[in-house]
Amino acid sequence: MKKKMEKEEFKSGFVTLIGRTNVGKSTLLNLLVGEKVAAIANKVQTTRTAIKGIVNRKNSQIIFTDTPGIHKPKTKLNETMVETSFSSILDTDVVLFLIEASSTQIGRGDSIIIEKIREAKRKTILIINKIDLVKRESLLSLIELYRKEYDFEAVIPISATNEKYKEVILEEIEKNLKPGPAYYDVEEYTDQTLRQLAEETVREKALKLLQDEVPHGIFVEVEKMKQRNNKQGEEIYDIEVTIYCLRESHKGIIIGKNGEMLKRIGRAARIDMEQNFGVKVNLKTWVKVKLDWQSNDTIVNKFKLK
């Protein structure tokens, strides 16, 4: 008599990505999800709040949370961002801890992260990103250094821009999940609303195009988002966005000569939104000065972990 094969049990769970600023967490999240759910820019503190991305596999559903990079806080906003990152560790099944391959020692920020993981007693996978920038000997020394600090479930060296590492990471995560239900519909890939995605998209384009002193003093808010059909019967979103900044001088930089910079930000954001939303977008952008927004409780509370 043939032994009946047991059906593989469905697993689900929550996975938090954590690491210092600019180590590639958002790039990795977008790679794993296969959709653009997090803003990416080659600047620190790109992610300000905990963003979720959902991966549906044959026998599992993995819900990722991308967190703000760990840094030394200087404002109420910064404090909230760091608090959000550490709080997310407590409410997760598996932690993906990202570090850069070019590291030669465990810095203060990474030491604090390891301590928080140790306190939470969470299964953790160490992801060493940007391996294309170092030699094999350096990478092996770094792995040994971190393995002495914590008993990681696995250590996976990667380049977050390379598709070939995606399956390796997802399989390792799946091994460490428990049986459970699907928390989201299989068609969903993020818990963010279209409004939030629109704000993230505009902010990302501003981060990429503006000078270094301006980007982290901006806050983007969708004032209006309305769906309609145009004369050709095509679905279209009318979106009105305000970019808030800290100084009048910054306002001038964001708008640019003859409004050219603002046009570039708006054009790039609109193209991205149309690709992500799958519909036409009519985007209007304004710039306003709000001197103290980084210390404004109403605004800062938007970035707290919900």
Side-chain angles (χ1 to χ4, degrees):
M1 188 176 174
K2 287 184 179 180
K3 188 177 178 182
K4 194 175 179 180
M5 287 185 69
E6 290 183 19
K7 187 180 178 183
E8 194 172 336
E9 206 162 7
F10 191 86
K11 294 179 173 182
S12 63
F14 295 83
V15 177
T16 291
L17 284 79
I18 196 164
R20 289 177 292 106
T21 56
N22 214 24
V23 293
K25 296 184 301 300
S26 297
T27 302
L28 180 59
L29 176 67
N30 291 339
L31 174 75
L32 295 173
V33 175
E35 298 282 353
K36 189 168 182 181
V37 295
I40 302 169
N42 190 26
K43 290 187 167 82
V44 297
Q45 300 171 29
T46 306
T47 302
R48 280 188 180 152
T49 186
I51 295 171
K52 283 189 171 59
I54 302 154
V55 173
N56 290 291
R57 291 163 62 80
K58 184 181 177 182
N59 292 302
S60 67
Q61 184 179 81
I62 306 169
I63 301 101
F64 290 96
T65 299
D66 181 23
T67 60
I70 302 303
H71 58 283
K72 189 174 181 179
K74 295 178 181 178
T75 66
K76 188 174 284 189
L77 171 66
N78 295 147
E79 289 172 3
T80 299
M81 288 162 63
V82 172
E83 180 188 314
T84 294
S85 295
F86 288 142
S87 297
S88 66
I89 295 176
L90 300 171
D91 195 28
T92 197
D93 300 298
V94 178
V95 176
L96 286 191
F97 175 26
L98 265 75
I99 64 169
E100 285 192 345
S102 57
S103 303
T104 55
Q105 58 184 5
I106 302 176
R108 176 166 168 73
D110 286 328
S111 293
I112 293 171
I113 293 170
I114 291 171
E115 191 53 43
K116 294 289 182 181
I117 291 169
R118 189 178 284 117
E119 287 173 11
K121 297 177 182 175
R122 291 296 182 265
K123 290 183 176 183
T124 302
I125 298 167
L126 180 66
I127 305 290
I128 304 177
N129 192 21
K130 306 180 184 180
I131 58 171
D132 49 311
L133 303 178
V134 300
K135 292 181 179 178
R136 177 178 167 80
E137 294 76 21
S138 301
L139 183 60
L140 292 174
S141 297
L142 187 63
I143 291 171
E144 187 180 350
L145 182 66
Y146 271 84
R147 278 208 178 276
K148 288 177 181 176
E149 284 299 308
Y150 192 78
D151 184 19
F152 296 103
E153 302 299 321
V155 177
I156 308 177
I158 69 159
S159 173
T161 56
N162 195 322
E163 186 79 22
K164 73 178 184 180
Y165 298 105
K166 176 177 178 177
E167 193 60 26
V168 177
I169 297 170
L170 291 175
E171 284 185 4
E172 189 59 46
I173 291 168
E174 203 172 85
K175 282 184 203 171
N176 288 285
L177 295 181
K178 294 178 181 177
Y183 293 94
Y184 292 89
D185 188 275
V186 292
E187 297 299 319
E188 295 184 75
Y189 64 88
T190 181
D191 68 340
Q192 288 193 97
T193 63
L194 287 182
R195 182 178 289 262
Q196 289 171 316
L197 286 169
E199 290 171 347
E200 278 291 295
T201 303
V202 173
R203 195 168 67 86
E204 178 196 46
K205 301 310 172 189
L207 283 169
K208 284 185 173 179
L209 292 168
L210 292 169
Q211 297 175 26
D212 286 344
E213 72 269 22
V214 177
H216 301 296
I218 67 169
F219 163 61
V220 178
E221 189 167 49
V222 169
E223 308 286 354
K224 177 185 173 186
M225 191 166 188
K226 191 176 180 182
Q227 184 182 353
R228 64 178 169 88
N229 289 334
N230 62 16
K231 291 178 181 178
Q232 288 74 40
E234 297 173 307
E235 187 180 354
I236 187 167
Y237 272 104
D238 291 319
I239 304 175
E240 296 182 12
V241 171
T242 299
I243 301 173
Y244 291 100
C245 58
L246 294 168
R247 300 186 182 94
E248 282 291 340
S249 59
H250 288 180
K251 181 178 179 180
I253 294 170
I254 296 167
I255 294 172
K257 188 176 181 181
N258 299 320
E260 279 304 311
M261 177 55 73
L262 190 58
K263 286 176 189 174
R264 286 179 65 195
I265 293 169
R267 191 182 306 119
R270 177 184 57 76
I271 291 169
D272 242 26
M273 286 182 210
E274 289 183 339
Q275 289 176 342
N276 289 339
F277 300 172
V279 297
K280 287 185 175 295
V281 171
N282 173 34
L283 178 65
K284 293 181 180 178
T285 53
W286 286 270
V287 183
K288 295 180 182 177
V289 176
K290 193 182 278 282
L291 298 175
D292 64 341
W293 76 260
Q294 291 180 322
S295 299
N296 183 305
D297 287 335
T298 304
I299 295 173
V300 170
N301 284 340
K302 290 173 183 274
F303 302 106
K304 287 191 175 179
L305 188 64
K306 301 297 189 289

